[in-house]
């Protein structure tokens, strides 16, 4: 009973720290030009999405309704986004507050699961390391990344999985959490489908401890959505032979990646074997065998997740930014597994055991921080997240001010053309973004695109397709037609075309804009 007040106190401190970190973002940040345009795309010209329109919005405006016209399939992500559009509408503060709560959920669930495995002190040390990893700066300082829902789902999944493993009679909420967490992850990012395999394996392993009906419901809840998502992705990728980034999905083109990842796994496996050998020295043989089997299964699961992310993304162990989630969490997950394993074979018990586990966890983290080279993405860097939050506030406010200025000028003269001035293939999303924001503001002025290529753009089929698509819109407006293997032109045209009783936006060829007219020029980059 004494543990509950301490846990509540710890959670209160964590929420207070998060409040200081994210408070300004909640109060002052606005919608940004990247990702956030989907929100106003759902809203149309209204301040919130009607509840009755959630399903039709998901089916009409996302890949869920047209799974074979895209190379993505994220049903939970878009259901959650549309539901939030109904809940929060066009209030950026409420959207950011929801992200704050999801980060708090991830942290709380991680702390609870780790506490049950290694005690509160070791869990707090692990938590401090995880939340200060630099990749969070590309997730929690924005509204759009799918990793937001995936991270929240991972926390729920981890706490539920731990409960299922430890409790002699698993509780109903553990089944529910496992199912929800699995769907949140797999339905937000297709690369997280391996977690569904782990959920299924866990349910099979604990079959004897679960009521039959509850077990079947949990199994169906984990396997069915993941199976549908996996089937759609196989059909999509099989038809194109390339992923959304234009990389070949065949193993032949990823030989170097596989070798790179295999080296990492061999090094990790060698270290884990050494840990097991050391544990053998001070434990009973029967106890060592049981604990080592569990440790081996946990370690293999963690390495499976790491390998799947590295290979699927096509970047090997050099993934950067938000794409490092959840690959970089695999390292502290291995530390957690080691600490729990050594505790399970240790002959000491009670508070002294928890103290030893906390000391071991802190020693591992400090050693890693001291001996890992500067710039390594597995080093903690709390300053990066703090800086990202501040930058996001400034960037979104700047975009909001630009949007407000253009909207004001266009309303003063609805015939005055707007020229979106942009450079490079990465202008593709900003073009779609400002079109949606202008539509949300009921702007009816003619719009043209003035585009120039950048010599620094990567020389790849995908980037060339991005630039070619923008050039087609610049030259032909809404009449643009051409080769569209990535469906890029189709998506942009849909942004400008008629929507729910409203006419098409007036996207015109640049050459139709009279040079003598004083156009509203909006530089996008």
């Amino acid at each position: 009973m004494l543990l509950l007040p301490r846990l509540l106190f710890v959670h209160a401190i964590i929420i207070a720290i998060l409040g200081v970190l994210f408070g300004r973002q909640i109060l002052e940040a606005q919608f940004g030009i990247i990702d956030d345009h989907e929100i106003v795309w759902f809203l149309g010209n209204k301040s919130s999405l009607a509840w009755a329109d959630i399903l039709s919005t998901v089916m009409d405006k996302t890949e869920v309704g047209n799974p074979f016209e895209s190379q993505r399939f994220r049903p939970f992500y878009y259901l959650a986004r549309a539901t939030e559009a109904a809940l929060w509408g066009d209030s950026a503060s409420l959207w950011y507050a929801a992200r704050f709560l999801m980060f708090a959920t991830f942290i709380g669930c991680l702390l609870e699961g780790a506490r049950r495995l290694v005690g509160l002190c070791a869990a707090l040390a692990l938590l401090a390391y995880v939340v200060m990893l630099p990749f969070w700066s590309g997730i929690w300082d924005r509204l759009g990344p799918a990793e937001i829902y995936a991270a929240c789902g991972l926390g729920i999944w981890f706490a539920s999985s731990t409960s299922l493993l430890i409790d002699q009679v698993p509780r109903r909420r553990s089944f529910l959490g496992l199912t929800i967490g699995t769907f949140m992850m797999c339905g937000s990012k297709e690369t997280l489908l391996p977690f569904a395999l782990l959920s299924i394996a866990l349910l099979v392993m604990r079959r004897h401890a679960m009521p039959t009906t509850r077990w079947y419901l949990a199994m169906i809840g984990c396997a069915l959505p993941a199976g549908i998502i996996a089937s759609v992705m196989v059909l999509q990728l099989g038809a194109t032979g390339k992923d959304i980034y234009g990389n070949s999905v065949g193993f032949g083109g990823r030989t170097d990646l596989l070798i790179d990842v295999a080296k990492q796994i061999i090094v990790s496996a060698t270290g884990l074997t050494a840990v097991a050998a050391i544990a053998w020295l001070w434990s009973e043989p029967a106890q060592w065998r049981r604990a080592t089997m569990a440790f081996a299964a946990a370690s293999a699961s963690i390495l499976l997740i790491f390998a799947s992310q590295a290979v699927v993304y096509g970047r090997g162990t050099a993934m950067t930014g938000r794409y490092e989630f959840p690959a970089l969490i695999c390292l502290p997950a291995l530390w957690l597994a080691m600490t729990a394993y050594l505790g399970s074979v240790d002959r000491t018990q009670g508070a002294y055991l928890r103290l030893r586990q906390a000391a071991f966890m802190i020693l591992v983290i400090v050693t890693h921080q001291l001996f890992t080279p500067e710039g390594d993405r597995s080093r903690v860097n709390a300053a990066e997240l703090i800086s990202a939050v501040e930058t996001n506030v400034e960037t979104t406010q700047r975009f909001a001010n630009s949007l407000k200025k253009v909207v004001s000028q266009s309303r003063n003269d609805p015939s005055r053309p707007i020229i979106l001035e942009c450079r490079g293939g990465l202008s593709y999303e900003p073009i779609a973004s400002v079109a949606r924001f202008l539509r949300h503001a009921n702007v009816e002025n003619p719009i043209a695109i003035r585009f120039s290529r950048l010599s620094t753009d990567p020389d790849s089929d995908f980037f060339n397709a991005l630039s070619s698509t923008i050039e087609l819109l610049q030259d032909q407006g809404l009449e643009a037609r051409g080769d569209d293997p990535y469906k890029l032109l189709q998506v942009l045209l849909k942004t400008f075309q008629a929507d729910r009783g409203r006419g098409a936006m007036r996207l015109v060829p640049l050459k139709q804009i009279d040079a003598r007219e004083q156009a509203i020029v909006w530089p996008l980059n």
Side-chain angles (χ1 to χ4, degrees):
M1 293 299 293
L2 292 175
L3 181 62
L4 182 59
R6 280 184 290 175
L7 283 176
L8 292 174
F9 179 69
V10 169
H11 282 289
I13 292 177
I14 291 172
I15 291 174
I17 294 172
L18 290 178
V20 172
L21 177 60
F22 292 103
R24 186 181 174 213
Q25 182 167 263
I26 295 172
L27 296 175
E28 299 180 21
Q30 305 295 319
F31 290 125
I33 193 171
I34 302 299
D35 287 338
D36 299 352
H37 54 88
E38 272 190 337
I39 297 171
V40 296
W41 176 236
F42 290 167
L43 296 177
N45 59 355
K46 299 178 181 178
S47 60
S48 64
L49 181 66
W51 287 94
D53 291 335
I54 290 177
L55 188 57
S56 62
T57 297
V58 172
M59 298 304 291
D60 295 342
K61 291 190 172 183
T62 76
E63 68 222 17
V64 178
N66 299 284
F68 301 108
E69 292 185 5
S70 171
Q71 291 171 297
R72 307 295 304 272
F73 189 63
R74 298 163 292 175
F76 180 84
Y77 175 71
Y78 280 113
L79 281 169
R81 294 275 279 178
T83 302
E84 287 198 273
L87 286 169
W88 323 131
D90 57 6
S91 171
S93 292
L94 291 178
W95 281 86
Y96 281 107
R99 270 91 199 120
F100 168 83
L101 292 176
M102 281 187 267
F103 195 17
T105 299
F106 167 77
I107 290 173
C109 290
L110 177 61
L111 179 62
E112 174 60 17
R115 179 193 67 80
R116 298 197 66 185
L117 291 171
V118 296
L120 181 59
C121 293
L124 285 171
L126 181 75
L127 180 66
Y129 172 82
V130 170
V131 298
M132 288 192 290
L133 286 170
F135 65 80
W136 293 121
S137 63
I139 298 176
W140 300 112
D141 64 326
R142 294 159 60 188
L143 298 178
E147 288 83 1
I148 292 171
Y149 301 114
C152 184
L154 176 60
I156 295 170
W157 180 88
F158 174 68
S160 303
S161 298
T162 304
S163 179
L164 285 172
L165 284 170
I166 294 176
D167 294 340
Q168 289 187 345
V169 181
R171 290 171 286 184
R172 184 181 291 107
R173 68 183 184 188
S174 300
F175 292 94
L176 185 61
L178 184 76
T179 304
I180 292 174
T182 301
F183 183 45
M184 287 181 71
M185 288 189 288
C186 300
S188 296
K189 290 195 69 177
E190 309 92 332
T191 57
L192 301 185
L193 281 169
F195 278 98
L197 297 178
L198 299 185
S199 298
I200 292 169
L202 177 59
L203 289 171
V204 170
M205 185 175 66
R206 294 288 286 162
R207 172 69 183 90
H208 65 281
M210 303 178 182
T212 301
T213 302
R214 196 176 298 172
W215 185 86
Y216 276 112
L217 288 174
M219 181 64 77
I220 293 170
C222 292
L224 183 59
I228 294 172
I229 295 168
S231 299
V232 171
M233 292 307 300
V234 167
L235 292 173
Q236 286 178 347
L237 298 176
T240 62
K242 296 182 179 180
D243 62 20
I244 191 173
Y245 305 105
N247 301 314
S248 171
V249 296
F251 282 102
R254 306 195 179 209
T255 304
D256 292 341
L257 291 177
L258 292 170
I259 293 173
D260 184 25
V261 172
K263 289 178 181 177
Q264 294 283 327
I265 291 176
I266 290 171
V267 171
S268 300
T270 302
L272 296 171
T273 302
V275 170
I278 294 171
W280 179 78
L281 297 176
W282 73 71
S283 60
E284 299 293 335
Q287 181 187 21
W288 180 85
R289 281 193 296 271
R290 289 193 302 271
T292 302
M293 288 179 63
F295 177 54
S299 300
S301 300
I302 295 167
L303 293 176
L304 166 69
I305 296 299
F306 173 78
S308 67
Q309 302 309 296
V311 173
V312 168
Y313 273 121
R315 299 186 176 97
T317 54
M319 294 177 290
T320 57
R322 62 188 176 94
Y323 301 106
E324 293 168 322
F325 171 86
L328 282 188
I329 294 182
C330 292
L331 181 60
L334 284 175
W335 298 343
L336 178 63
M338 282 193 295
T339 306
Y341 170 60
L342 294 175
S344 67
V345 297
D346 198 323
R347 293 173 181 173
T348 59
Q349 297 294 326
Y352 185 53
L353 171 62
R354 293 308 194 194
L355 182 62
R356 284 160 65 102
Q357 288 179 307
F360 176 77
M361 180 68 77
I362 294 171
L363 176 64
V364 170
I365 293 172
V366 171
T367 302
H368 175 78
Q369 189 72 6
L370 289 175
F371 292 98
T372 303
E374 287 287 343
D376 190 288
R377 298 290 291 176
S378 65
R379 286 174 58 92
V380 298
N381 187 356
E384 189 163 330
L385 178 57
I386 296 171
S387 174
V389 169
E390 294 299 312
T391 300
N392 180 59
V393 172
E394 296 168 4
T395 302
T396 57
Q397 286 182 342
R398 191 159 53 245
F399 172 70
N401 290 335
S402 298
L403 175 64
K404 184 178 180 180
K405 179 180 178 181
V406 171
V407 169
S408 176
Q409 291 176 325
S410 64
R411 285 177 177 168
N412 289 336
D413 185 358
S415 64
R416 190 178 177 189
I418 300 171
I419 297 178
L420 307 180
E421 196 168 65
C422 51
R423 297 173 297 161
L426 290 179
S427 302
Y428 177 88
E429 184 175 356
I431 291 171
S433 177
V434 298
R436 291 170 175 177
F437 277 103
L438 290 174
R439 165 160 274 176
H440 180 64
N442 289 314
V443 170
E444 298 180 351
N445 299 53
I447 299 172
I449 297 170
R450 182 186 293 150
F451 174 74
S452 58
R453 292 187 180 233
L454 288 177
S455 59
T456 53
D457 276 354
D459 185 16
S460 68
D461 292 343
F462 184 66
F463 261 86
N464 288 332
L466 287 171
S467 296
S468 297
T469 298
I470 300 171
E471 287 173 338
L472 283 171
L473 290 172
Q474 171 187 257
D475 298 337
Q476 302 176 28
L478 277 180
E479 301 303 318
R481 299 293 183 271
D483 186 32
D484 194 18
Y486 297 101
K487 310 295 184 184
L488 297 171
L489 180 59
Q490 179 179 313
V491 171
L492 266 186
L493 284 175
K494 190 174 182 179
T495 297
F496 287 96
Q497 288 166 353
D499 176 54
R500 292 190 179 176
R502 290 175 297 157
M505 299 183 74
R506 297 166 62 190
L507 178 66
V508 300
L510 180 63
K511 59 188 177 185
Q512 288 187 11
I513 302 296
D514 193 329
R516 292 170 297 181
E517 293 184 272
Q518 292 189 351
I520 303 169
V521 180
W522 190 352
L524 301 186
N525 48 21

